Amino acid sequence: MESRASFTAETMALQRAFESHRPPGRRRFDDPYATAFLRPSLRVLAEAARLPGIRHLVTGLYDVVAGPGPRASGIARTEVIDDALTEAMTGDTQCVLLGAGYDARAHRLPALAGRAVFEVDHPATQARKRAVLGAGPRYVSVDFERDDLAGRLTESGFDPGKPSVFVWEGVTNYLTADAVDATLAAVHGLGGDLVFTYVDVRALHEPSPFPEARRWVRAVARAGEPWTFGLLPAETGEFLAERGFDLREDVSAHDAGGGSRLYRIAIAIAARSARAPHQ
């Protein structure tokens, strides 16, 4: 992971490509850039999904190989975050995409056009993204386990005096608890609101209440990007309150449109109170 682009970012791009190749009236979002990030073998699959006669065969094959949770959850989380971000981008609000991967929201969402958008990620993934998309957002190279997120952002032009919304999609489950705490402290210190995903911590342990968990957890571990962090949904509100945020929404991918119950999308607002965030 020190020198190569993220494989899970590429598989997420494939999932978005599959959905974007459905008919306009049936797809839940449109990401015209997703296919460009795929290696040749995966690009063939994505392009095949354009054909009505074999679309279900291709996506069905993907679900057989990957399991029943990942693709549907990826689609659900993309739609929920697109909608939340579109609603949040009012006035001079800034957007920060934490662990942006191959997320092309800065290029495809009208709500981000002309806005100050900062993309934070590993430099190897960003190099691949720059090669495909060229100019656009401000790229900020950060290792969440080591680097000063707030400092890197302000050095790149982020204005703490303006409202901001941070999107942290598909990242927390790959971090240590310390890195999650440090990132939340940085976001709170910058006054940002947060849209993020997490996995139910029970999925990381056996026996799990989620039938798809064992296969999914093993698959990401084999790819060299194991899940290392999760939260218990019943305790997420308290966890965030201790770190200076008010939980406004917390929904499973299943309830958001057919994904997995173990994968969740949450919206948290920076608390405007004297309560000190957790250190």
Side-chain angles (χ1 to χ4, degrees), residues 162-185:
K162 293 182 179 180
S164 57
V165 58
F166 288 69
V167 174
W168 205 12
E169 179 185 10
V171 181
T172 62
N173 38 305
Y174 299 104
L175 300 179
T176 63
D178 286 346
V180 171
D181 274 344
T183 303
L184 289 173

Side-chain angles (χ1 to χ4, degrees), residues 13 17 36 68 83 105 108 150 152 154-155 168 182 199 205 208 213 255 277:
D83 291 345
R105 288 188 174 96
R108 67 179 179 83
R152 291 285 179 89
T154 53
E155 290 169 3
W168 205 12
V199 297
H205 308 289
S208 166
D255 292 338

Side-chain angles (χ1 to χ4, degrees), residues 30-278:
D30 182 23
D31 185 346
Y33 306 98
T35 303
F37 294 111
L38 303 177
R39 64 191 65 185
S41 58
L42 298 183
R43 192 172 298 177
V44 169
L45 284 178
E47 293 297 337
R50 293 183 185 275
L51 305 174
I54 63 172
R55 179 179 301 116
H56 292 300
L57 177 63
V58 172
T59 55
L61 175 63
Y62 180 92
D63 292 341
V64 167
V65 174
R71 183 175 65 87
S73 297
I75 291 167
R77 87 187 202 196
T78 298
E79 182 182 40
V80 171
I81 294 172
D82 280 1
D83 291 345
L85 187 53
T86 297
E87 182 178 352
M89 297 305 296
T90 59
D92 58 356
T93 299
Q94 306 163 105
C95 175
V96 181
L97 303 173
L98 297 171
Y102 296 143
D103 177 347
R105 288 188 174 96
H107 298 265
R108 67 179 179 83
L109 284 187
L112 295 184
R115 301 281 187 171
V117 180
F118 302 83
E119 292 204 0
V120 177
D121 211 339
H122 189 283
T125 299
Q126 289 183 332
R128 170 66 175 148
K129 196 167 189 179
R130 285 174 186 265
V132 172
L133 296 179
R138 305 179 201 184
Y139 290 99
V140 185
S141 295
V142 169
D143 183 330
F144 290 105
E145 300 286 351
R146 303 177 186 138
D147 295 331
D148 175 10
L149 173 61
R152 291 285 179 89
L153 279 170
T154 53
E155 290 169 3
S156 300
F158 179 90
D159 186 348
K162 293 182 179 180
S164 57
V165 58
F166 288 69
V167 174
W168 205 12
E169 179 185 10
V171 181
T172 62
N173 38 305
Y174 299 104
L175 300 179
T176 63
D178 286 346
V180 171
D181 274 344
T183 303
L184 289 173
V187 174
H188 183 273
L190 293 170
D193 298 331
L194 182 64
V195 183
F196 73 104
T197 64
Y198 71 95
V199 297
D200 189 315
V201 70
R202 294 173 294 176
L204 276 61
H205 308 289
E206 294 187 24
S208 166
F210 310 104
E212 69 275 25
R214 184 176 185 183
R215 184 175 182 179
W216 200 345
V217 169
R218 290 187 174 185
V220 294
R222 285 196 302 270
E225 300 175 34
W227 287 356
T228 52
F229 179 84
L231 294 170
L232 190 63
E235 299 175 358
T236 298
E238 180 180 358
F239 173 87
L240 290 169
E242 291 174 349
R243 289 152 179 84
F245 293 91
D246 294 328
L247 180 63
R248 295 295 174 87
E249 185 176 345
D250 185 5
V251 62
S252 72
H254 177 272
D255 292 338
S260 172
R261 287 183 171 85
L262 70 83
Y263 211 98
R264 305 189 67 86
I265 309 102
I267 299 175
I269 306 300
R272 317 298 192 225
S273 71
R275 186 175 187 178
H278 174 86

